[in-house]
Amino acid sequence: MGFFCGENCAYYFGYISFRQHCIVFIMAGIARGDVSYSLSEEMKIGSVIGNIAKDLGLNLNSLSARKARIDAEGTRRKYCDINVNNGELTVLERIDREGLCGKKSVCILKQELVLENPLESHRININVQDVNDNSPVFKKGVVKLEIGESAVKGSRFLLEEAHDADIGTNSVQTYTVSRNEHFSLAVSFKTGGRISCELVLGKELDRELEKEVTLILTAVDGGTPPRSGTVAIHVTVLDANDNFYSAHVKENNKPGYSVCTIAATDPDWRQNGTVVYSLFTYNYDAYLTTGSRTSDFKFVSSYNDRTLPADLTLKKGKSVEDMLRCTGDELLSLNQVWLLAFF
């Protein structure tokens, strides 16, 4: 922009006011169209994007004289530069697609080529392509689950999804779980490209055999080569009252006949480790008994389906559940176990 102003003429940046005898000459910049390029993110500094002088039909010899330069458009950072000697557009700074556009499917970096004398500008649209430069990451280092040993086959437990900053096939594509005897993995594809996974119980848990189960969950993306991320899953098996002693007996047994023998242990010392056995009374003590220091349950009287009192649930062909308790001498602890007597 050039101007000539007579007396009493004031000029402000971006605004011209004149009171009298002011003659203004304005020459506007000329924009001769856009140019578009496509490049992969994370290209090395100095990498050639394209020959912009050739693509725009500019006189190579005039680039230096016209002070050709690259300006940023819509951002304060300038990612490209022009070599005025050969007209090549090169990478000036690291271009990180995820930092520029996040999870957007299309990432356009806008720059501008500016020349002077006369003023001329061209927009540069650079389509930044994603590369597989990020691995799947889980929010937590360890996933903790509590599952009861009473859980049935087919029970499902939803797991945390992994995050991958890349898009498309470079994002998470599948999950796998380490080999184990209890769980398999069910992978589901959701709308919007999300992928979720669930642990599926294939074999019942038994806390008495295994109190904890440790698994490794792996998330894998679809890049070349693929990247992966892992998280440990610690499953704590919750106890269920599933332990019992069973005995099959016939009617008309003589007093003193042994029904079954159970065993209980207490790791405490001396009297605190002494185990005493007794039978919870549901009127069954008229037929069963045990010594306080022994675990041998015996009949104290003979019976059959005709001699049983009517208020007892003990019936021929039915099962009876009698709870037994084992306590220390100081009665500081109480453990229960079921006795199933089949008649």
Side-chain angles (χ1 to χ4, degrees):
M1 177 184 295
F3 67 90
F4 169 79
C5 186
E7 192 174 322
N8 298 323
C9 176
Y11 171 77
Y12 302 93
F13 182 80
Y15 176 78
I16 301 178
S17 67
F18 41 96
R19 299 173 182 173
Q20 61 179 7
H21 307 299
C22 184
I23 302 174
V24 180
F25 298 94
I26 300 177
M27 181 176 65
I30 302 174
R32 295 188 176 179
D34 299 349
V35 61
S36 297
Y37 296 100
S38 180
L39 83 161
S40 299
E41 63 171 329
E42 305 292 350
M43 290 184 65
K44 293 181 179 180
I45 294 176
S47 298
V48 177
I49 301 172
N51 194 308
I52 192 170
K54 180 179 179 180
D55 295 334
L56 292 173
L58 300 174
N59 185 348
L60 188 61
N61 297 325
S62 66
L63 294 180
S64 179
R66 296 183 63 187
K67 300 180 180 179
R69 64 182 184 275
I70 301 297
D71 285 343
E73 182 178 330
T75 177
R76 295 181 179 180
R77 299 187 64 178
K78 187 171 69 171
Y79 291 92
C80 305
D81 200 5
I82 184 173
N83 187 329
V84 295
N85 296 319
N86 56 23
E88 290 180 341
L89 186 68
T90 59
V91 176
L92 180 64
E93 286 195 32
R94 172 177 174 261
I95 300 176
D96 178 24
R97 189 188 191 282
E98 290 74 38
L100 290 171
C101 303
K103 299 289 285 186
K104 291 181 179 178
S105 58
V106 178
C107 182
I108 302 297
L109 175 62
K110 295 183 178 181
Q111 306 278 270
E112 186 177 20
L113 172 64
V114 179
L115 301 98
E116 299 179 1
N117 302 319
L119 183 62
E120 184 178 339
S121 66
H122 300 272
R123 289 181 178 177
I124 307 170
N125 297 319
I126 301 175
N127 185 8
V128 183
Q129 301 291 327
D130 185 44
V131 298
N132 192 27
D133 59 338
N134 293 283
S135 298
V137 177
F138 291 91
K139 291 182 180 179
K140 300 178 181 178
V142 177
V143 175
K144 295 182 179 181
L145 296 178
E146 293 184 343
I147 302 176
E149 61 177 343
S150 59
V152 298
K153 288 183 180 180
S155 298
R156 290 174 174 250
F157 307 91
L158 184 64
L159 299 175
E160 171 195 346
E161 297 178 24
H163 172 74
D164 194 324
D166 295 321
I167 64 169
T169 57
N170 290 329
S171 62
V172 177
Q173 298 298 305
T174 189
Y175 293 88
T176 60
V177 69
S178 56
R179 182 177 298 179
N180 66 95
E181 62 177 330
H182 294 288
F183 297 96
S184 60
L185 198 65
V187 179
S188 302
F189 296 87
K190 307 294 184 180
T191 56
R194 290 178 52 246
I195 302 177
S196 64
C197 58
E198 295 174 299
L199 279 181
V200 182
L201 184 63
K203 180 182 178 182
E204 289 88 348
L205 299 166
D206 188 342
R207 191 176 189 278
E208 285 65 43
L209 296 178
E210 199 170 14
K211 295 181 179 180
E212 291 185 349
V213 178
T214 300
L215 310 170
I216 300 297
L217 178 65
T218 303
V220 185
D221 65 23
T224 304
R227 290 175 174 260
S228 63
T230 60
V231 64
I233 302 176
H234 288 172
V235 179
T236 299
V237 183
L238 301 180
D239 191 30
N241 192 15
D242 59 350
N243 292 306
F244 57 86
Y245 285 83
S246 63
H248 292 264
V249 296
K250 297 179 180 179
E251 62 181 346
N252 298 319
N253 288 292
K254 295 181 180 181
Y257 176 81
S258 177
V259 177
C260 71
T261 301
I262 68 172
T265 59
D266 191 327
D268 291 329
W269 190 51
R270 289 186 176 177
Q271 69 270 19
N272 291 332
T274 303
V275 178
V276 175
Y277 299 87
S278 63
L279 181 68
F280 267 56
T281 175
Y282 287 110
N283 290 326
Y284 305 140
D285 52 349
Y287 298 95
L288 297 174
T289 187
T290 181
S292 63
R293 298 291 182 179
T294 67
S295 57
D296 190 17
F297 286 80
K298 299 180 179 181
F299 289 111
V300 294
S301 63
S302 181
Y303 65 89
N304 54 43
D305 60 343
R306 295 180 298 277
T307 61
L308 288 174
D311 62 336
L312 293 183
T313 58
L314 185 62
K315 298 294 182 181
K316 186 177 182 180
K318 301 291 185 179
S319 65
V320 178
E321 296 181 349
D322 285 335
M323 273 194 298
L324 310 175
R325 68 181 178 185
C326 309
T327 67
D329 277 356
E330 302 298 326
L331 299 180
L332 296 179
S333 62
L334 175 65
N335 293 313
Q336 296 176 344
V337 65
W338 291 96
L339 168 63
L340 302 185
F342 298 94
F343 301 91

